[in-house]
Amino acid sequence: MKTLRTLIAAFCLVLCAGLAVAQGKAPDYDAWDSTAARAEAAIEANRASVITMENLRKEIVAFRKQFQDAQSINDTRISTLNAQLEALGPVPESGDPEPVAVRRENLKNQLAQAREPVVAAQEAYSLADALVSEIDKLIRERMRDDFLERSPSPLNLSEWPVAFEHVLRSLRAIGAESKAMRNAPTRTVTTRDNLPVIIALAAIGLVLIARGGRWSKRLGARFALLGGGGARIWQLIVSLGRIILPLIGLVAIAQAFVLTGNLGLRGSTLIFAIPAWGAIILLFRWLCEQVFAKNEDDPLLNLPLQRRAEARFYGTFLAVLIVLRSFFEMLSNFERFSPQVEAILFFPQVLLAGLVFSRLGQILRNIPKPEDDEDATQKSNAEWLARNIGTAMAAIGIATPILAAFGYTAASKGIIFPMIATTWALALVLVLNRLATDIYVWVTKKGEAGRDALVPVLLGFGLTLASLPFLALFWGARIADLYEWWLNFLGGFSIGGVQISPSAFLTFAVVFAIGYSITRLLQGTMRNTVLPKTQIDPGGKTAIVAGLGYVGIFIASVVAITAAGINLSSIAIVAGALSVGIGFGLQTIVQNFVSGIILLIERPISEGDWIEVNGQMGYVRDISVRATRIETFDRTDVIIPNADFVSGTVTNYTRGNTVGRVIVSVGVAYGTDTKRVEEILREIANAHPMVLANPAPNIVFQSFGADSLDFEIRAILRDVNWVLSVKSDMNHEIAKRFEEEGIEIPFAQRDIWLRNPEVLNRGEG
């Protein structure tokens, strides 16, 4: 309840500050001087209550926002005056001519006058920021002292009746207020006038509390019968009715009690707190049912059914203890209980919470580990997190009651109850992460493989980040602290005189993404619509599209940097130093990058060319910034740095056209009619459809070999990519024709002469 009120107050504060700025109200410096004086006096005395300091801080924060906005007053006028002074140039050694000197002095006076409110706002902003920091420091020191304060030990049993008497006195005071309200003259009239509404609200509330959970459960069972990937999603969404419907019933009943007019101030406070307490219990019970499912085939945590039932009971019981703690804190605020009474009242709660929390931690610690740790999935990661959290829960559950027994009541409460809230916040993150993953798998239809995709991981990371502010609130952070951290985050950081803020980064990312998308759209349009209608060769089309991409990304980067307000001149020195480092450390990468640009401009090779470089032969498939990818005839990709194409020797078999030569060698036996062989080979070459008639194929009587007469067919092919197929066809035809003509294709034969064979015969004998 306190956190909720603080959130509402902070929202109203920010809204009011925004409206004040929107209305263009100038800061009231007289009021600020008075507020600053009060703040300095309160800080120096250090006797004001925390509530007073918080209220004073809110006033200062509102002023600080006004001063921050006031610093942008006359920005346009100041920029114009500075430009005019720069246009006049520096003052010469001999001095300005009189008209120029008068003009320069006039501009300086105008600039000083325009900057006067800006300087005043900057000075006031600095003071306000310093006062806020000092107030925050004082409040944190008091919170630390309260946390470490030691009260009388609650183990003194003689003081327990006194503590119970204080509780009874507080309850009797609430009853006395209600009795006084019932005896008021106007109470009967109020009750009679509101009686129909009271009855209706009470009836609706009782029905929703009694039947709302069952209705939601039945509806969820119907969705379960549907099956399919979305069944669990709808079941989870429908199960929220087990929280919402009974909570609406509690609100209705609380409103019915208020309309009776029988409640005093304290009674009304208790009644208004009942829906919040009910929400805590309902939420904890719902989380227990999701994390420790009753009969789910694929539970979030792999526990036996008996252990799940035990964990559901303990989790709901912890919610009841949190509600009891809030109830007794409310009574303590009513009666201002002494530290001794508070220690006695809260000790049983801390003891029970510690024991239950420790037992729940032991259950989580005993979650079975997966047999195959290498096959890590989202479920096993959740179980690993649960086991580690269980270890911490078991230790904290034992330590906090010991602290409370020694009188450290505030410390014990400040550890065990935030830890309970933290545990269930993480459980909620796991449930929501599973829901987001189920939705992703259902929408993308990727099946179980989609659970290990990148998107579910990013969703889980985002949910974890979103939970951090709430975890900070659980552990004692104030809304004001979160607001200050957010302002510091928005302020960003400085690099080389350039202020980098999240807003600037977001602007850069959005503008660059738009520019990048436009570049890709233009590339697609050029590749699929414009260039196919031209006579440019495929390599030239690829070079144009790639060059358009480089230029578009460069322009998008420059426009994004300008839109983000980043002054490139401020980082010129840093860029110069980086360029030196790049020149020495990344010279190979830069060399390949420049070589890639040269390849796109000169186009010695293009995509689809058949090339040979560094002993590697294949087709060019892609020319990127750093390297070129070729596909070999073995269907493997070889990545070759671009510098090898510029500085090395490259053979391009299809540069400009696909015409190429094939050479087929064959040998015939000695004594064969060489003219007849030449005629047959010429007929075979001319008959192949891939061989060009002009120039005509040539038959060469190459040489007298050691075992044969060597001939070659040298023919020009219309497409050299078919050279191996053509060579195979010609060899088949040569073998067929030579067999028909009785021409022998010899093979090498060797005679072996043995010297002194009688030695071998003697050895046998």
Side-chain angles (χ1 to χ4, degrees), residues 528-600:
N528 302 322
T529 305
V530 179
L531 293 178
K533 299 179 181 179
T534 65
Q535 302 298 323
I536 303 175
D537 59 275
K541 295 176 182 178
T542 302
I544 292 174
V545 172
L548 180 62
Y550 294 151
V551 173
I553 292 175
F554 174 76
I555 294 175
S557 301
V558 173
V559 173
I561 290 173
T562 304
I566 300 175
N567 187 3
L568 295 180
S569 61
S570 300
I571 58 175
I573 298 177
V574 178
L578 289 176
S579 63
V580 174
I582 291 174
F584 286 100
L586 303 177
Q587 55 182 343
T588 303
I589 296 177
V590 174
Q591 181 184 10
N592 290 324
F593 173 75
V594 175
S595 299
I597 296 176
I598 293 174
L599 291 178
L600 291 175

Side-chain angles (χ1 to χ4, degrees), residues 50-307:
V50 173
I51 297 177
T52 303
M53 298 294 284
E54 289 282 8
N55 293 331
L56 185 58
R57 186 188 184 281
K58 292 178 183 178
E59 295 182 32
I60 298 173
V61 168
F63 275 112
R64 186 179 63 176
K65 184 66 173 65
Q66 297 179 26
F67 299 145
Q68 183 180 11
D69 296 333
Q71 293 179 26
S72 60
I73 294 176
N74 298 333
D75 276 354
T76 305
R77 178 60 177 163
I78 292 173
S79 299
T80 303
L81 292 173
N82 284 325
Q84 289 177 301
L85 286 172
E86 291 178 1
L88 293 178
V91 180
E93 296 180 359
S94 59
D96 287 326
E98 184 176 353
V100 176
V102 173
R103 178 60 177 165
R104 189 188 300 277
E105 188 64 25
N106 187 22
L107 290 175
K108 288 182 178 180
N109 292 334
Q110 293 181 36
L111 181 61
Q113 185 177 0
R115 286 185 53 83
E116 183 177 351
V118 177
V119 173
Q122 291 175 345
E123 180 184 359
Y125 178 86
S126 300
L127 178 58
D129 194 56
L131 291 175
V132 168
S133 299
E134 292 186 21
I135 291 175
D136 287 339
K137 181 180 177 181
L138 289 178
I139 293 176
R140 281 193 289 267
E141 289 177 352
R142 292 187 183 182
M143 293 174 63
R144 180 197 62 197
D145 294 339
D146 292 341
F147 183 82
L148 298 176
E149 183 180 3
R150 183 179 179 184
S151 58
S153 174
L155 300 181
N156 187 3
L157 299 181
S158 61
E159 296 291 335
W160 283 54
V162 178
F164 291 147
E165 178 62 28
H166 280 78
V167 174
L168 293 176
R169 186 188 306 165
S170 179
L171 294 176
R172 285 194 293 267
I174 296 174
E177 282 188 352
S178 299
K179 183 177 180 180
M181 294 295 297
R182 286 196 302 270
N183 295 331
T186 59
R187 197 273 306 175
T188 303
V189 177
T190 302
T191 304
R192 185 176 62 250
D193 293 341
N194 295 331
L195 187 59
V197 179
I198 293 172
I199 295 175
L201 288 175
I204 292 173
L206 291 174
V207 170
L208 290 177
I209 293 173
R211 308 294 299 179
R214 296 182 181 179
W215 293 342
S216 177
K217 188 176 181 179
R218 290 178 182 176
L219 186 58
R222 292 185 179 182
F223 278 107
L225 295 176
L226 298 177
R232 190 163 63 187
I233 299 173
W234 292 113
Q235 277 185 283
L236 181 63
I237 295 175
V238 170
S239 67
L240 293 174
R242 305 191 67 181
I243 301 176
I244 298 173
L245 296 180
L247 183 59
I248 294 175
L250 288 174
V251 173
I253 291 177
Q255 188 61 32
F257 272 105
V258 172
L259 291 177
T260 60
N262 293 332
L263 300 176
L265 178 60
R266 300 184 181 186
S268 299
T269 304
L270 285 175
I271 289 296
F272 285 139
I274 288 177
W277 294 338
I280 293 173
I281 296 176
L282 292 170
L283 177 60
F284 271 54
R285 188 184 68 174
W286 179 82
L287 281 174
C288 289
E289 292 175 351
Q290 299 302 319
V291 177
F292 310 106
K294 294 182 179 179
N295 52 4
E296 191 177 357
D297 296 333
D298 185 21
L300 187 59
L301 297 178
N302 186 20
L303 282 170
L305 291 177
Q306 183 179 359
R307 290 290 173 264

Side-chain angles (χ1 to χ4, degrees), residues 1 127 172 386 418 430 542 684 727 748:
M1 295 295 293
L127 178 58
R172 285 194 293 267
L430 289 178
T542 302
I684 292 173
K727 183 178 289 188

Side-chain angles (χ1 to χ4, degrees), residues 473-531:
L473 291 176
F474 295 155
W475 288 96
R478 298 150 44 233
I479 294 293
D481 295 329
L482 298 181
Y483 182 69
E484 288 298 317
W485 296 339
W486 178 250
L487 290 180
N488 293 332
F489 174 74
L490 293 180
F493 54 92
S494 179
I495 297 179
V498 178
Q499 190 70 18
I500 305 297
S501 63
S503 59
F505 178 78
L506 182 61
T507 302
F508 172 83
V510 171
V511 175
F512 180 78
I514 294 174
Y516 182 81
S517 301
I518 294 174
T519 299
R520 292 307 184 197
L521 180 62
L522 290 176
Q523 284 183 295
T525 303
M526 293 292 291
R527 182 187 299 108
N528 302 322
T529 305
V530 179
L531 293 178

